[in-house]
Amino acid sequence: MERLLQYREASPIIPYNLNDSLILFPIRHHSPVCSYHLIRTIENYKPDIILIEGPENANHLISVITDEQTKLPVAFYYYYKDTKKYISENGGDYKCYYPFQYSSPEYNALMQAKKYGITTKFIDLPYSETLINTAENEGLRKDIDKHSYTDDSRFTKSRFYQKICEKTGLRDFDEFWEKYFEIGGLYISTEKFVHQMNTYCTLTRTDCTDDELRADGTMSREKYMACNIMKVMQEHKKVLAVTGGFHTFGIYNLIQQGDIKSPKIHKISKTDEGCYPMAYSYRAVDALRGYVSGMMYPHFYDSIMKELYIRNSPHEIYNDNIFNLITLTAKESTKRDIQVTISDMTSAYTMMNGLSALRDSMECGISEAFDAVTACFIKGEKTVSSSIPLDILANLATGDGIGQINNTEHIPPLIADFEKQCKSLRLKYQLSAPTTVEASLFTSVRGMELSRFMHRMQFLETDFARLMKGSDIKNNRDRSRVREEWQYRRSPEVDASLIDHTTDGFTIEEACGTFAEKLLKKYQRCETAGGVAVDCFLMGIELKSAEQELIDNIISSDGDFFSIGKGLGYFQTLCELQSLYDFEDKSTMKYLCKCFERLLSMLPAMANVPPENADNVINIMKIMYGIIVSVLDYRMNDFEAELLTIVSSAEKEPAVYGGAMGLLCAISPDYKQSAEDGARGYLTGSTEIQKKGADYLRGLFSTARDIVLVDNSFLEMADKLITDMGFDDFLEILPSLRLAFSNFTPSEIQLVSESVAELHGISENDLMKKSAVDENLFDFGEELDRIICGIIGKEELIYE
């Protein structure tokens, strides 16, 4: 490594002297070797105060993370609501994570400070100020799902390390870092390690321009940290500042410069900005490799850190832990019927040490573990099935544990209520791996409570619960099921979402009620109102009078036919549910009637909708007919009159026309002749008109498929449509024909096939089981007939 970093002229050397009043200690987040040398520095330097890179508005949480009962990984969760539009005219909500694991240098600095009674504090800009000082689509304002405060992507994507990899034959940054820093760093003095870190980070920084550093907020943060450090230096004799390696050079230069102006701090209300501690998982730490500040395989590196604490010497720690990891992989592979012999284990041990020596590494690293398992356990081509040992190795190295915070003083009330309800329902909420639970809706009180809790978590979009089996009421599927099977998993996103909803209420039930009201006010659509009403019923939450009035106003003001139609379907479902559960609520019937009346007046205008909306119109008409039959029979004549308006329109969409005719036939058999006349009108027209006949049949069969089973008149018309049409034209109408006959049940298809077989004078068996003629073979036969007729001089036979 010393040979690779012989670039003293590239930057001034940042001093590391235990006699100085200030030591700037550079780190890579979550790095065991950085933690190891940082601990030694604290022991030898004995600072009066330790300053740590991190938003200063989290200082009140230091006691939480250093609590003996806290189990890592955990994270600080920052949120900011830009209500004053400091960031943009559109405002918006922002959030990010600051994860800690046992190998994190920041965590070890805090724990050592607690051990020796040293004052500690975070010194970086508050999260809101970092956002305000960051350009759009840069840094913490990038358009990605997850943001980490400890984003040091520049640290791992420099051209400098890429050139090193090219010269040394290393495959990627992680292999480079592990060989030269994580493993190699344990064999050198702290002073030399800090020197190498500073040199690497400074050379990495040369890839960035001042404009780039200004845009992603780096310069503002470094100015703020430098000002805080200089202020503390006036009050303490020995100051240790722990900062990300990429920032150390910038902070050092600013301190040397002396006279700098700190960024402006805005007045942000406590309701718009906050920070909470939250349980985190190893999977989440590893999944955040997108910000590249986390170490890959976090559980493995936490194991390394724990060994560094208890061993007298750091040497051989990697060799021992890598072999232990391979041994565990072999055991888990055997449990899955993948035989790994003693000979395989011996070969893996020999190979990992051989590769380490060949690569000139002090000890074996995680890359040697994967290479050894690939060569000695898989023993051949890597496929989906054969690579299972590699998956096991990766899972073991990543870990599936989740942290725990027992200090409830700073726990958001919504998370506290979530954990309380999980305990009451006997859910294993501490696990990050998916777990399955069954809820019996009618046989136990717990089953209904469990179902309602899961629906509430789903409604709040926490990603905690997912319905695997059971009735899907909103989408009208599997309505007869009386048991639900849920899969649930506690992840950092669950806690983050609950924190976001903390302003909605202190309990899950309160938050759901407030969130439902927010959705109603935000979207002002009948479709949303109906969906929210169904959700509230499934969650066991009664709509308040204000919310009921809001739904009533939404129905009155919504002018979208399709939104009202969707809402009508939801309210119909809700009426059926309330009847099933013996739940009395007159407001639902009021909503249903109001939606129906509005749709009835708008129905004639739907006669000539665009083809892509035809199916939606037909479905809404079917819902309206079903409601008339069940509860609004006195409106049958009015509905019939509106359908007649549709079918008599000069311009009408064929599928809607057919759907309306089918419903008229359902109202009275007297309309059957009109339905036949409509179909015949399409068949006797031009080719383009005939093509529309397929859509007419699709609409007709979707609302009155029994019309085909009464006699063969419609089948004969469909047969004529198909047989009279050219091949290319037939292919064009084929999708509509498929959809038309998809309305029939299997038993009805059987009856239809019998009628079609009789129509063509063949047996049903031949029709249903006869192999289709290959199209190419048919073309070849046609061409052969043409050649033969030409040879014998009988070309006229081709057209007979």
Side-chain angles (χ1 to χ4, degrees), residues 66-352:
T66 57
D67 191 295
E68 293 180 356
Q69 300 300 316
T70 296
K71 177 184 175 183
L72 301 189
V74 299
F76 291 161
Y77 173 83
Y78 300 91
Y79 71 89
Y80 171 62
K81 301 178 184 295
D82 190 29
T83 56
K84 293 187 177 181
K85 300 182 179 180
Y86 288 132
I87 297 176
S88 70
E89 287 299 319
N90 298 324
D93 296 340
Y94 301 86
K95 60 185 178 182
C96 78
Y97 306 89
Y98 188 163
F100 297 88
Q101 56 189 80
Y102 291 106
S103 60
S104 302
E106 301 94 331
Y107 171 76
N108 284 285
L110 293 171
M111 294 303 293
Q112 291 299 306
K114 181 180 180 181
K115 177 181 177 181
Y116 293 111
I118 302 171
T119 302
T120 56
K121 63 187 298 186
F122 294 113
I123 57 170
D124 203 352
L125 277 172
Y127 175 54
S128 58
E129 300 298 336
T130 300
L131 290 169
I132 292 170
N133 286 278
T134 301
E136 185 178 2
N137 237 357
E138 297 288 340
L140 291 176
R141 289 185 61 191
K142 286 181 179 176
D143 187 18
I144 58 177
D145 291 336
K146 295 180 181 178
H147 281 286
S148 170
Y149 163 79
T150 54
D151 185 347
D152 56 5
S153 55
R154 299 188 187 280
F155 182 83
T156 60
K157 293 183 179 180
S158 70
R159 289 175 293 176
F160 176 63
Y161 106 78
Q162 293 172 356
K163 291 178 181 178
I164 291 178
C165 288
E166 289 174 7
K167 289 186 177 183
T168 57
L170 298 173
R171 289 168 287 192
D172 52 36
F173 173 81
D174 294 294
E175 193 171 337
F176 155 75
W177 175 264
E178 187 175 58
K179 175 182 176 179
Y180 288 113
F181 283 93
E182 291 301 330
I183 298 174
L186 296 176
Y187 283 81
I188 58 178
S189 67
T190 299
E191 183 178 3
K192 184 174 288 188
F193 174 78
V194 172
H195 166 72
Q196 290 187 355
M197 277 287 294
N198 279 327
T199 306
Y200 173 78
C201 295
T202 302
L203 289 169
T204 297
R205 194 180 173 104
T206 59
D207 279 347
C208 306
T209 66
D210 287 348
D211 289 340
E212 291 174 332
L213 297 177
R214 192 175 294 107
D216 68 6
T218 296
M219 282 193 170
S220 297
R221 291 176 57 194
E222 291 175 352
K223 284 182 181 179
Y224 196 75
M225 287 190 278
C227 287
N228 276 331
I229 291 171
M230 289 190 291
K231 181 180 178 181
V232 170
M233 288 177 67
Q234 296 174 2
E235 304 167 357
H236 298 275
K237 294 181 179 179
K238 301 178 77 174
V239 178
L240 174 63
V242 181
T243 62
F246 186 82
H247 299 297
T248 307
F249 175 69
I251 293 172
Y252 174 75
N253 278 347
L254 289 169
I255 292 174
Q256 293 301 302
Q257 180 181 329
D259 185 20
I260 54 174
K261 186 178 180 181
S262 178
K264 176 187 174 183
I265 299 298
H266 300 77
K267 290 184 178 180
I268 309 289
S269 69
K270 291 183 179 180
T271 57
D272 287 343
E273 180 178 33
C275 176
Y276 289 104
M278 58 181 285
Y280 220 58
S281 70
Y282 280 120
R283 292 183 184 277
V285 175
D286 187 61
L288 286 178
R289 284 173 301 183
Y291 68 77
V292 201
S293 59
M295 301 286 291
M296 291 179 66
Y297 311 116
H299 184 263
F300 170 75
Y301 287 109
D302 263 8
S303 301
I304 293 293
M305 191 65 234
K306 291 175 182 178
E307 290 286 316
L308 287 171
Y309 263 113
I310 61 178
R311 290 203 189 188
N312 294 326
S313 170
H315 301 166
E316 296 299 319
I317 282 182
Y318 272 86
N319 282 340
D320 294 344
N321 276 271
I322 288 296
F323 186 64
N324 181 55
L325 191 59
I326 291 176
T327 302
L328 290 174
T329 301
K331 289 181 179 179
E332 291 298 319
S333 297
T334 303
K335 290 179 183 178
R336 301 193 191 184
D337 296 327
I338 300 172
Q339 295 303 315
V340 179
T341 65
I342 298 297
S343 176
D344 296 334
M345 288 292 300
T346 304
S347 298
Y349 179 76
T350 303
M351 174 163 280
M352 76 179 204

